[in-house]
Amino acid sequence: MTVENEPRVVADDVVVSLDYVLRVNGEEVDSSNEGEPIDFLQGYGNIIPGLEKELYGMAVGDSKSVQVAARDGYGESDPEAIIEVPRSEFPEDVPLKPGLELQMQNVDGDMLNAVVVDISDETVRLDFNHPLAGQELHFDVTVISLRAATDEELAHGHVHSHEHEDEYEEEGDLDELEYEGGDDDDLLFTDEEEDNLY
Ligand code: ZN
């Protein structure tokens, strides 16, 4: 790759390496690990939209504070995502109490995270909203490096890290597996499975 092809600022089709700290109500809830910025492909909705749109034009070394409204972050809290479930559907050994986090499987076999809101004799109220739904997000970000995406990354719509390249890129149809092997524990990343909630 020639030097003049290297991107100078964040733009669509550029792989961005970003350090970030995420705070909600002044409290740090997530950050890139020390010396390990996250990599993503700009312009493909791989990170939350309210942050992605603020990164355009940033150069390597630039830092920025970005406030993201709930609707551009994890969305507003949806009252319809709070549902009552008969208490009898829970195994007796589940220590039900408000605030308890549960993993539940829906009819499609997807794992969903829920938090117990409250409990009555007959029912348990569960909140399936993302824990950060309804929250304003405060990011402090620094652009660590930029590079042009490969044709393959552009075709897939996401970044390929070297470790996964070796393992999976030989197999054309393992894209999903490869993607799930990525950094999607990071709160910054959009979670495609969220769409199945509503
Ligand atoms: Zn891929």
Side-chain angles (χ1 to χ4, degrees), residues 52-91:
E52 183 173 50
K53 72 179 182 194
E54 293 294 327
L55 300 179
Y56 287 102
M58 290 181 73
V60 172
D62 282 354
S63 295
K64 192 172 187 179
S65 289
V66 179
Q67 281 193 42
V68 177
R71 66 176 177 278
D72 295 324
Y74 290 94
E76 302 290 352
S77 189
D78 180 359
E80 290 187 18
I82 301 175
I83 59 170
E84 289 200 337
V85 178
R87 195 165 180 161
S88 57
E89 289 195 12
F90 293 87

PDB file of all heavy atoms in Angstrom, residues 52-91:
ATOM      1  N   GLU A  52     -20.289   7.679  16.057  1.00  0.00           N
ATOM      2  CA  GLU A  52     -19.698   7.538  14.721  1.00  0.00           C
ATOM      3  C   GLU A  52     -19.762   8.847  13.928  1.00  0.00           C
ATOM      4  O   GLU A  52     -18.787   9.270  13.312  1.00  0.00           O
ATOM      5  CB  GLU A  52     -20.421   6.426  13.961  1.00  0.00           C
ATOM      6  CG  GLU A  52     -19.825   6.153  12.584  1.00  0.00           C
ATOM      7  CD  GLU A  52     -20.460   4.934  11.912  1.00  0.00           C
ATOM      8  OE1 GLU A  52     -21.701   4.865  11.858  1.00  0.00           O
ATOM      9  OE2 GLU A  52     -19.710   4.070  11.436  1.00  0.00           O
ATOM     10  N   LYS A  53     -20.906   9.532  13.977  1.00  0.00           N
ATOM     11  CA  LYS A  53     -21.051  10.727  13.132  1.00  0.00           C
ATOM     12  C   LYS A  53     -20.184  11.880  13.622  1.00  0.00           C
ATOM     13  O   LYS A  53     -19.894  12.800  12.854  1.00  0.00           O
ATOM     14  CB  LYS A  53     -22.529  11.133  13.055  1.00  0.00           C
ATOM     15  CG  LYS A  53     -23.099  11.728  14.325  1.00  0.00           C
ATOM     16  CD  LYS A  53     -24.564  12.126  14.137  1.00  0.00           C
ATOM     17  CE  LYS A  53     -25.109  12.757  15.404  1.00  0.00           C
ATOM     18  NZ  LYS A  53     -26.568  12.858  15.400  1.00  0.00           N
ATOM     19  N   GLU A  54     -19.753  11.835  14.887  1.00  0.00           N
ATOM     20  CA  GLU A  54     -18.910  12.910  15.429  1.00  0.00           C
ATOM     21  C   GLU A  54     -17.425  12.705  15.122  1.00  0.00           C
ATOM     22  O   GLU A  54     -16.600  13.569  15.400  1.00  0.00           O
ATOM     23  CB  GLU A  54     -19.097  13.021  16.943  1.00  0.00           C
ATOM     24  CG  GLU A  54     -20.477  13.504  17.355  1.00  0.00           C
ATOM     25  CD  GLU A  54     -20.736  14.940  16.915  1.00  0.00           C
ATOM     26  OE1 GLU A  54     -19.774  15.743  16.882  1.00  0.00           O
ATOM     27  OE2 GLU A  54     -21.902  15.252  16.595  1.00  0.00           O
ATOM     28  N   LEU A  55     -17.080  11.534  14.587  1.00  0.00           N
ATOM     29  CA  LEU A  55     -15.662  11.227  14.364  1.00  0.00           C
ATOM     30  C   LEU A  55     -15.149  11.719  13.014  1.00  0.00           C
ATOM     31  O   LEU A  55     -13.936  11.866  12.825  1.00  0.00           O
ATOM     32  CB  LEU A  55     -15.431   9.710  14.461  1.00  0.00           C
ATOM     33  CG  LEU A  55     -15.803   9.064  15.798  1.00  0.00           C
ATOM     34  CD1 LEU A  55     -15.540   7.565  15.740  1.00  0.00           C
ATOM     35  CD2 LEU A  55     -15.049   9.688  16.953  1.00  0.00           C
ATOM     36  N   TYR A  56     -16.058  11.997  12.078  1.00  0.00           N
ATOM     37  CA  TYR A  56     -15.633  12.418  10.734  1.00  0.00           C
ATOM     38  C   TYR A  56     -14.688  13.611  10.825  1.00  0.00           C
ATOM     39  O   TYR A  56     -14.944  14.572  11.546  1.00  0.00           O
ATOM     40  CB  TYR A  56     -16.846  12.785   9.870  1.00  0.00           C
ATOM     41  CG  TYR A  56     -17.642  11.585   9.417  1.00  0.00           C
ATOM     42  CD1 TYR A  56     -18.839  11.248  10.045  1.00  0.00           C
ATOM     43  CD2 TYR A  56     -17.194  10.785   8.378  1.00  0.00           C
ATOM     44  CE1 TYR A  56     -19.577  10.148   9.650  1.00  0.00           C
ATOM     45  CE2 TYR A  56     -17.924   9.676   7.961  1.00  0.00           C
ATOM     46  CZ  TYR A  56     -19.104   9.360   8.597  1.00  0.00           C
ATOM     47  OH  TYR A  56     -19.821   8.259   8.204  1.00  0.00           O
ATOM     48  N   GLY A  57     -13.590  13.543  10.096  1.00  0.00           N
ATOM     49  CA  GLY A  57     -12.668  14.672  10.013  1.00  0.00           C
ATOM     50  C   GLY A  57     -11.588  14.679  11.079  1.00  0.00           C
ATOM     51  O   GLY A  57     -10.656  15.475  10.997  1.00  0.00           O
ATOM     52  N   MET A  58     -11.679  13.785  12.061  1.00  0.00           N
ATOM     53  CA  MET A  58     -10.640  13.746  13.096  1.00  0.00           C
ATOM     54  C   MET A  58      -9.357  13.124  12.530  1.00  0.00           C
ATOM     55  O   MET A  58      -9.402  12.179  11.752  1.00  0.00           O
ATOM     56  CB  MET A  58     -11.110  12.942  14.319  1.00  0.00           C
ATOM     57  CG  MET A  58     -12.207  13.638  15.143  1.00  0.00           C
ATOM     58  SD  MET A  58     -12.707  12.662  16.588  1.00  0.00           S
ATOM     59  CE  MET A  58     -11.285  12.874  17.674  1.00  0.00           C
ATOM     60  N   ALA A  59      -8.215  13.682  12.932  1.00  0.00           N
ATOM     61  CA  ALA A  59      -6.916  13.182  12.487  1.00  0.00           C
ATOM     62  C   ALA A  59      -6.268  12.364  13.595  1.00  0.00           C
ATOM     63  O   ALA A  59      -6.717  12.399  14.748  1.00  0.00           O
ATOM     64  CB  ALA A  59      -6.011  14.347  12.101  1.00  0.00           C
ATOM     65  N   VAL A  60      -5.224  11.628  13.252  1.00  0.00           N
ATOM     66  CA  VAL A  60      -4.492  10.847  14.253  1.00  0.00           C
ATOM     67  C   VAL A  60      -3.989  11.785  15.348  1.00  0.00           C
ATOM     68  O   VAL A  60      -3.408  12.836  15.061  1.00  0.00           O
ATOM     69  CB  VAL A  60      -3.314  10.100  13.611  1.00  0.00           C
ATOM     70  CG1 VAL A  60      -2.440   9.446  14.678  1.00  0.00           C
ATOM     71  CG2 VAL A  60      -3.830   9.049  12.632  1.00  0.00           C
ATOM     72  N   GLY A  61      -4.236  11.420  16.591  1.00  0.00           N
ATOM     73  CA  GLY A  61      -3.813  12.238  17.722  1.00  0.00           C
ATOM     74  C   GLY A  61      -4.887  13.186  18.225  1.00  0.00           C
ATOM     75  O   GLY A  61      -4.784  13.701  19.338  1.00  0.00           O
ATOM     76  N   ASP A  62      -5.909  13.402  17.420  1.00  0.00           N
ATOM     77  CA  ASP A  62      -6.999  14.283  17.856  1.00  0.00           C
ATOM     78  C   ASP A  62      -7.806  13.625  18.971  1.00  0.00           C
ATOM     79  O   ASP A  62      -8.086  12.419  18.926  1.00  0.00           O
ATOM     80  CB  ASP A  62      -7.950  14.582  16.688  1.00  0.00           C
ATOM     81  CG  ASP A  62      -7.402  15.614  15.729  1.00  0.00           C
ATOM     82  OD1 ASP A  62      -6.326  16.179  16.025  1.00  0.00           O
ATOM     83  OD2 ASP A  62      -8.045  15.852  14.683  1.00  0.00           O
ATOM     84  N   SER A  63      -8.188  14.449  19.944  1.00  0.00           N
ATOM     85  CA  SER A  63      -9.085  13.995  21.007  1.00  0.00           C
ATOM     86  C   SER A  63     -10.358  14.820  20.962  1.00  0.00           C
ATOM     87  O   SER A  63     -10.365  15.950  20.475  1.00  0.00           O
ATOM     88  CB  SER A  63      -8.435  14.159  22.386  1.00  0.00           C
ATOM     89  OG  SER A  63      -7.313  13.324  22.503  1.00  0.00           O
ATOM     90  N   LYS A  64     -11.426  14.240  21.496  1.00  0.00           N
ATOM     91  CA  LYS A  64     -12.706  14.934  21.453  1.00  0.00           C
ATOM     92  C   LYS A  64     -13.601  14.383  22.555  1.00  0.00           C
ATOM     93  O   LYS A  64     -13.536  13.194  22.875  1.00  0.00           O
ATOM     94  CB  LYS A  64     -13.359  14.673  20.086  1.00  0.00           C
ATOM     95  CG  LYS A  64     -14.557  15.545  19.766  1.00  0.00           C
ATOM     96  CD  LYS A  64     -14.974  15.320  18.304  1.00  0.00           C
ATOM     97  CE  LYS A  64     -16.066  16.292  17.895  1.00  0.00           C
ATOM     98  NZ  LYS A  64     -16.464  16.107  16.482  1.00  0.00           N
ATOM     99  N   SER A  65     -14.406  15.277  23.128  1.00  0.00           N
ATOM    100  CA  SER A  65     -15.467  14.832  24.022  1.00  0.00           C
ATOM    101  C   SER A  65     -16.772  14.864  23.253  1.00  0.00           C
ATOM    102  O   SER A  65     -17.070  15.859  22.592  1.00  0.00           O
ATOM    103  CB  SER A  65     -15.570  15.756  25.247  1.00  0.00           C
ATOM    104  OG  SER A  65     -14.462  15.572  26.079  1.00  0.00           O
ATOM    105  N   VAL A  66     -17.504  13.790  23.330  1.00  0.00           N
ATOM    106  CA  VAL A  66     -18.744  13.673  22.562  1.00  0.00           C
ATOM    107  C   VAL A  66     -19.881  13.305  23.500  1.00  0.00           C
ATOM    108  O   VAL A  66     -19.784  12.339  24.257  1.00  0.00           O
ATOM    109  CB  VAL A  66     -18.619  12.578  21.474  1.00  0.00           C
ATOM    110  CG1 VAL A  66     -19.925  12.438  20.702  1.00  0.00           C
ATOM    111  CG2 VAL A  66     -17.474  12.893  20.516  1.00  0.00           C
ATOM    112  N   GLN A  67     -20.932  14.109  23.458  1.00  0.00           N
ATOM    113  CA  GLN A  67     -22.147  13.753  24.192  1.00  0.00           C
ATOM    114  C   GLN A  67     -23.126  13.129  23.220  1.00  0.00           C
ATOM    115  O   GLN A  67     -23.381  13.691  22.160  1.00  0.00           O
ATOM    116  CB  GLN A  67     -22.792  15.002  24.793  1.00  0.00           C
ATOM    117  CG  GLN A  67     -22.128  15.474  26.068  1.00  0.00           C
ATOM    118  CD  GLN A  67     -22.996  16.502  26.768  1.00  0.00           C
ATOM    119  OE1 GLN A  67     -24.198  16.334  26.833  1.00  0.00           O
ATOM    120  NE2 GLN A  67     -22.365  17.546  27.272  1.00  0.00           N
ATOM    121  N   VAL A  68     -23.676  12.006  23.602  1.00  0.00           N
ATOM    122  CA  VAL A  68     -24.615  11.299  22.738  1.00  0.00           C
ATOM    123  C   VAL A  68     -25.948  11.170  23.471  1.00  0.00           C
ATOM    124  O   VAL A  68     -26.013  10.574  24.551  1.00  0.00           O
ATOM    125  CB  VAL A  68     -24.076   9.907  22.356  1.00  0.00           C
ATOM    126  CG1 VAL A  68     -25.094   9.144  21.519  1.00  0.00           C
ATOM    127  CG2 VAL A  68     -22.760  10.032  21.601  1.00  0.00           C
ATOM    128  N   ALA A  69     -26.984  11.742  22.870  1.00  0.00           N
ATOM    129  CA  ALA A  69     -28.325  11.617  23.455  1.00  0.00           C
ATOM    130  C   ALA A  69     -28.761  10.157  23.417  1.00  0.00           C
ATOM    131  O   ALA A  69     -28.311   9.386  22.567  1.00  0.00           O
ATOM    132  CB  ALA A  69     -29.315  12.491  22.680  1.00  0.00           C
ATOM    133  N   ALA A  70     -29.646   9.792  24.304  1.00  0.00           N
ATOM    134  CA  ALA A  70     -30.100   8.403  24.391  1.00  0.00           C
ATOM    135  C   ALA A  70     -30.581   7.874  23.047  1.00  0.00           C
ATOM    136  O   ALA A  70     -30.266   6.748  22.662  1.00  0.00           O
ATOM    137  CB  ALA A  70     -31.214   8.280  25.427  1.00  0.00           C
ATOM    138  N   ARG A  71     -31.304   8.704  22.302  1.00  0.00           N
ATOM    139  CA  ARG A  71     -31.876   8.220  21.028  1.00  0.00           C
ATOM    140  C   ARG A  71     -30.788   7.899  20.005  1.00  0.00           C
ATOM    141  O   ARG A  71     -31.013   7.126  19.074  1.00  0.00           O
ATOM    142  CB  ARG A  71     -32.870   9.237  20.454  1.00  0.00           C
ATOM    143  CG  ARG A  71     -32.243  10.539  20.017  1.00  0.00           C
ATOM    144  CD  ARG A  71     -33.253  11.483  19.369  1.00  0.00           C
ATOM    145  NE  ARG A  71     -32.597  12.737  19.038  1.00  0.00           N
ATOM    146  CZ  ARG A  71     -32.391  13.719  19.909  1.00  0.00           C
ATOM    147  NH1 ARG A  71     -32.816  13.594  21.158  1.00  0.00           N
ATOM    148  NH2 ARG A  71     -31.775  14.829  19.562  1.00  0.00           N
ATOM    149  N   ASP A  72     -29.602   8.514  20.129  1.00  0.00           N
ATOM    150  CA  ASP A  72     -28.484   8.215  19.230  1.00  0.00           C
ATOM    151  C   ASP A  72     -27.495   7.235  19.856  1.00  0.00           C
ATOM    152  O   ASP A  72     -26.436   6.960  19.298  1.00  0.00           O
ATOM    153  CB  ASP A  72     -27.725   9.495  18.855  1.00  0.00           C
ATOM    154  CG  ASP A  72     -28.585  10.434  18.037  1.00  0.00           C
ATOM    155  OD1 ASP A  72     -29.380   9.934  17.217  1.00  0.00           O
ATOM    156  OD2 ASP A  72     -28.469  11.651  18.234  1.00  0.00           O
ATOM    157  N   GLY A  73     -27.825   6.766  21.048  1.00  0.00           N
ATOM    158  CA  GLY A  73     -26.968   5.819  21.741  1.00  0.00           C
ATOM    159  C   GLY A  73     -27.652   4.457  21.791  1.00  0.00           C
ATOM    160  O   GLY A  73     -27.797   3.786  20.772  1.00  0.00           O
ATOM    161  N   TYR A  74     -28.121   4.080  22.968  1.00  0.00           N
ATOM    162  CA  TYR A  74     -28.785   2.787  23.114  1.00  0.00           C
ATOM    163  C   TYR A  74     -30.293   2.908  23.045  1.00  0.00           C
ATOM    164  O   TYR A  74     -31.011   1.975  23.386  1.00  0.00           O
ATOM    165  CB  TYR A  74     -28.325   2.115  24.407  1.00  0.00           C
ATOM    166  CG  TYR A  74     -26.888   1.678  24.290  1.00  0.00           C
ATOM    167  CD1 TYR A  74     -25.860   2.500  24.731  1.00  0.00           C
ATOM    168  CD2 TYR A  74     -26.564   0.475  23.672  1.00  0.00           C
ATOM    169  CE1 TYR A  74     -24.532   2.122  24.588  1.00  0.00           C
ATOM    170  CE2 TYR A  74     -25.249   0.092  23.521  1.00  0.00           C
ATOM    171  CZ  TYR A  74     -24.243   0.913  23.974  1.00  0.00           C
ATOM    172  OH  TYR A  74     -22.943   0.536  23.810  1.00  0.00           O
ATOM    173  N   GLY A  75     -30.767   4.083  22.608  1.00  0.00           N
ATOM    174  CA  GLY A  75     -32.201   4.263  22.427  1.00  0.00           C
ATOM    175  C   GLY A  75     -32.887   4.669  23.716  1.00  0.00           C
ATOM    176  O   GLY A  75     -32.315   4.573  24.807  1.00  0.00           O
ATOM    177  N   GLU A  76     -34.101   5.165  23.569  1.00  0.00           N
ATOM    178  CA  GLU A  76     -34.903   5.487  24.742  1.00  0.00           C
ATOM    179  C   GLU A  76     -35.334   4.178  25.396  1.00  0.00           C
ATOM    180  O   GLU A  76     -35.418   3.145  24.736  1.00  0.00           O
ATOM    181  CB  GLU A  76     -36.135   6.305  24.340  1.00  0.00           C
ATOM    182  CG  GLU A  76     -35.827   7.598  23.610  1.00  0.00           C
ATOM    183  CD  GLU A  76     -35.194   8.658  24.517  1.00  0.00           C
ATOM    184  OE1 GLU A  76     -35.129   8.436  25.749  1.00  0.00           O
ATOM    185  OE2 GLU A  76     -34.753   9.686  23.981  1.00  0.00           O
ATOM    186  N   SER A  77     -35.598   4.255  26.663  1.00  0.00           N
ATOM    187  CA  SER A  77     -36.123   3.088  27.349  1.00  0.00           C
ATOM    188  C   SER A  77     -37.536   2.807  26.825  1.00  0.00           C
ATOM    189  O   SER A  77     -38.376   3.694  26.771  1.00  0.00           O
ATOM    190  CB  SER A  77     -36.158   3.370  28.864  1.00  0.00           C
ATOM    191  OG  SER A  77     -36.467   2.196  29.555  1.00  0.00           O
ATOM    192  N   ASP A  78     -37.776   1.569  26.389  1.00  0.00           N
ATOM    193  CA  ASP A  78     -39.052   1.216  25.759  1.00  0.00           C
ATOM    194  C   ASP A  78     -39.942   0.522  26.779  1.00  0.00           C
ATOM    195  O   ASP A  78     -39.624  -0.569  27.247  1.00  0.00           O
ATOM    196  CB  ASP A  78     -38.771   0.284  24.577  1.00  0.00           C
ATOM    197  CG  ASP A  78     -40.037  -0.140  23.858  1.00  0.00           C
ATOM    198  OD1 ASP A  78     -41.147   0.268  24.293  1.00  0.00           O
ATOM    199  OD2 ASP A  78     -39.928  -0.881  22.878  1.00  0.00           O
ATOM    200  N   PRO A  79     -41.079   1.157  27.107  1.00  0.00           N
ATOM    201  CA  PRO A  79     -41.971   0.530  28.110  1.00  0.00           C
ATOM    202  C   PRO A  79     -42.428  -0.863  27.691  1.00  0.00           C
ATOM    203  O   PRO A  79     -42.703  -1.709  28.542  1.00  0.00           O
ATOM    204  CB  PRO A  79     -43.170   1.479  28.178  1.00  0.00           C
ATOM    205  CG  PRO A  79     -42.806   2.695  27.413  1.00  0.00           C
ATOM    206  CD  PRO A  79     -41.601   2.408  26.572  1.00  0.00           C
ATOM    207  N   GLU A  80     -42.500  -1.104  26.377  1.00  0.00           N
ATOM    208  CA  GLU A  80     -42.962  -2.420  25.914  1.00  0.00           C
ATOM    209  C   GLU A  80     -41.914  -3.502  26.097  1.00  0.00           C
ATOM    210  O   GLU A  80     -42.194  -4.687  25.916  1.00  0.00           O
ATOM    211  CB  GLU A  80     -43.385  -2.341  24.440  1.00  0.00           C
ATOM    212  CG  GLU A  80     -44.659  -1.539  24.256  1.00  0.00           C
ATOM    213  CD  GLU A  80     -45.168  -1.599  22.822  1.00  0.00           C
ATOM    214  OE1 GLU A  80     -44.759  -2.502  22.081  1.00  0.00           O
ATOM    215  OE2 GLU A  80     -45.972  -0.724  22.474  1.00  0.00           O
ATOM    216  N   ALA A  81     -40.689  -3.091  26.432  1.00  0.00           N
ATOM    217  CA  ALA A  81     -39.642  -4.078  26.698  1.00  0.00           C
ATOM    218  C   ALA A  81     -39.622  -4.475  28.170  1.00  0.00           C
ATOM    219  O   ALA A  81     -38.756  -5.224  28.613  1.00  0.00           O
ATOM    220  CB  ALA A  81     -38.285  -3.533  26.274  1.00  0.00           C
ATOM    221  N   ILE A  82     -40.584  -3.946  28.934  1.00  0.00           N
ATOM    222  CA  ILE A  82     -40.738  -4.365  30.331  1.00  0.00           C
ATOM    223  C   ILE A  82     -41.980  -5.246  30.401  1.00  0.00           C
ATOM    224  O   ILE A  82     -43.082  -4.793  30.106  1.00  0.00           O
ATOM    225  CB  ILE A  82     -40.883  -3.135  31.258  1.00  0.00           C
ATOM    226  CG1 ILE A  82     -39.641  -2.246  31.125  1.00  0.00           C
ATOM    227  CG2 ILE A  82     -41.104  -3.578  32.700  1.00  0.00           C
ATOM    228  CD1 ILE A  82     -39.725  -0.941  31.898  1.00  0.00           C
ATOM    229  N   ILE A  83     -41.782  -6.505  30.716  1.00  0.00           N
ATOM    230  CA  ILE A  83     -42.903  -7.441  30.640  1.00  0.00           C
ATOM    231  C   ILE A  83     -43.035  -8.245  31.930  1.00  0.00           C
ATOM    232  O   ILE A  83     -42.076  -8.431  32.668  1.00  0.00           O
ATOM    233  CB  ILE A  83     -42.754  -8.422  29.449  1.00  0.00           C
ATOM    234  CG1 ILE A  83     -41.452  -9.218  29.571  1.00  0.00           C
ATOM    235  CG2 ILE A  83     -42.803  -7.679  28.124  1.00  0.00           C
ATOM    236  CD1 ILE A  83     -41.386 -10.352  28.571  1.00  0.00           C
ATOM    237  N   GLU A  84     -44.265  -8.704  32.162  1.00  0.00           N
ATOM    238  CA  GLU A  84     -44.540  -9.530  33.335  1.00  0.00           C
ATOM    239  C   GLU A  84     -44.533 -10.999  32.934  1.00  0.00           C
ATOM    240  O   GLU A  84     -45.103 -11.379  31.914  1.00  0.00           O
ATOM    241  CB  GLU A  84     -45.901  -9.161  33.934  1.00  0.00           C
ATOM    242  CG  GLU A  84     -45.895  -7.805  34.597  1.00  0.00           C
ATOM    243  CD  GLU A  84     -47.032  -7.641  35.586  1.00  0.00           C
ATOM    244  OE1 GLU A  84     -48.049  -8.362  35.454  1.00  0.00           O
ATOM    245  OE2 GLU A  84     -46.898  -6.798  36.487  1.00  0.00           O
ATOM    246  N   VAL A  85     -43.866 -11.777  33.735  1.00  0.00           N
ATOM    247  CA  VAL A  85     -43.759 -13.210  33.478  1.00  0.00           C
ATOM    248  C   VAL A  85     -44.286 -13.926  34.720  1.00  0.00           C
ATOM    249  O   VAL A  85     -43.984 -13.518  35.845  1.00  0.00           O
ATOM    250  CB  VAL A  85     -42.280 -13.605  33.245  1.00  0.00           C
ATOM    251  CG1 VAL A  85     -42.140 -15.087  33.020  1.00  0.00           C
ATOM    252  CG2 VAL A  85     -41.698 -12.818  32.067  1.00  0.00           C
ATOM    253  N   PRO A  86     -45.113 -14.972  34.537  1.00  0.00           N
ATOM    254  CA  PRO A  86     -45.593 -15.721  35.707  1.00  0.00           C
ATOM    255  C   PRO A  86     -44.416 -16.253  36.521  1.00  0.00           C
ATOM    256  O   PRO A  86     -43.442 -16.772  35.960  1.00  0.00           O
ATOM    257  CB  PRO A  86     -46.401 -16.877  35.100  1.00  0.00           C
ATOM    258  CG  PRO A  86     -46.754 -16.429  33.721  1.00  0.00           C
ATOM    259  CD  PRO A  86     -45.654 -15.511  33.275  1.00  0.00           C
ATOM    260  N   ARG A  87     -44.530 -16.099  37.820  1.00  0.00           N
ATOM    261  CA  ARG A  87     -43.443 -16.525  38.690  1.00  0.00           C
ATOM    262  C   ARG A  87     -43.157 -18.022  38.547  1.00  0.00           C
ATOM    263  O   ARG A  87     -42.024 -18.488  38.707  1.00  0.00           O
ATOM    264  CB  ARG A  87     -43.826 -16.194  40.140  1.00  0.00           C
ATOM    265  CG  ARG A  87     -42.666 -16.265  41.061  1.00  0.00           C
ATOM    266  CD  ARG A  87     -42.958 -15.595  42.381  1.00  0.00           C
ATOM    267  NE  ARG A  87     -41.776 -15.705  43.222  1.00  0.00           N
ATOM    268  CZ  ARG A  87     -41.530 -14.962  44.265  1.00  0.00           C
ATOM    269  NH1 ARG A  87     -42.411 -14.048  44.631  1.00  0.00           N
ATOM    270  NH2 ARG A  87     -40.438 -15.123  44.974  1.00  0.00           N
ATOM    271  N   SER A  88     -44.210 -18.745  38.184  1.00  0.00           N
ATOM    272  CA  SER A  88     -44.080 -20.202  38.063  1.00  0.00           C
ATOM    273  C   SER A  88     -43.141 -20.614  36.929  1.00  0.00           C
ATOM    274  O   SER A  88     -42.724 -21.765  36.851  1.00  0.00           O
ATOM    275  CB  SER A  88     -45.465 -20.817  37.834  1.00  0.00           C
ATOM    276  OG  SER A  88     -46.071 -20.250  36.684  1.00  0.00           O
ATOM    277  N   GLU A  89     -42.826 -19.675  36.017  1.00  0.00           N
ATOM    278  CA  GLU A  89     -41.925 -20.028  34.909  1.00  0.00           C
ATOM    279  C   GLU A  89     -40.454 -20.046  35.321  1.00  0.00           C
ATOM    280  O   GLU A  89     -39.594 -20.438  34.545  1.00  0.00           O
ATOM    281  CB  GLU A  89     -42.110 -19.049  33.743  1.00  0.00           C
ATOM    282  CG  GLU A  89     -43.442 -19.243  33.036  1.00  0.00           C
ATOM    283  CD  GLU A  89     -43.489 -18.552  31.681  1.00  0.00           C
ATOM    284  OE1 GLU A  89     -42.426 -18.126  31.194  1.00  0.00           O
ATOM    285  OE2 GLU A  89     -44.595 -18.446  31.151  1.00  0.00           O
ATOM    286  N   PHE A  90     -40.181 -19.592  36.538  1.00  0.00           N
ATOM    287  CA  PHE A  90     -38.793 -19.575  36.992  1.00  0.00           C
ATOM    288  C   PHE A  90     -38.508 -20.794  37.860  1.00  0.00           C
ATOM    289  O   PHE A  90     -39.324 -21.139  38.724  1.00  0.00           O
ATOM    290  CB  PHE A  90     -38.515 -18.304  37.810  1.00  0.00           C
ATOM    291  CG  PHE A  90     -38.576 -17.053  36.982  1.00  0.00           C
ATOM    292  CD1 PHE A  90     -39.783 -16.402  36.780  1.00  0.00           C
ATOM    293  CD2 PHE A  90     -37.433 -16.537  36.391  1.00  0.00           C
ATOM    294  CE1 PHE A  90     -39.845 -15.251  36.007  1.00  0.00           C
ATOM    295  CE2 PHE A  90     -37.487 -15.392  35.616  1.00  0.00           C
ATOM    296  CZ  PHE A  90     -38.703 -14.745  35.423  1.00  0.00           C
ATOM    297  N   PRO A  91     -37.387 -21.444  37.629  1.00  0.00           N
ATOM    298  CA  PRO A  91     -37.008 -22.541  38.524  1.00  0.00           C
ATOM    299  C   PRO A  91     -36.927 -22.037  39.966  1.00  0.00           C
ATOM    300  O   PRO A  91     -36.588 -20.870  40.195  1.00  0.00           O
ATOM    301  CB  PRO A  91     -35.614 -22.938  38.020  1.00  0.00           C
ATOM    302  CG  PRO A  91     -35.514 -22.405  36.630  1.00  0.00           C
ATOM    303  CD  PRO A  91     -36.389 -21.195  36.573  1.00  0.00           C
TER     304      PRO A  91
END
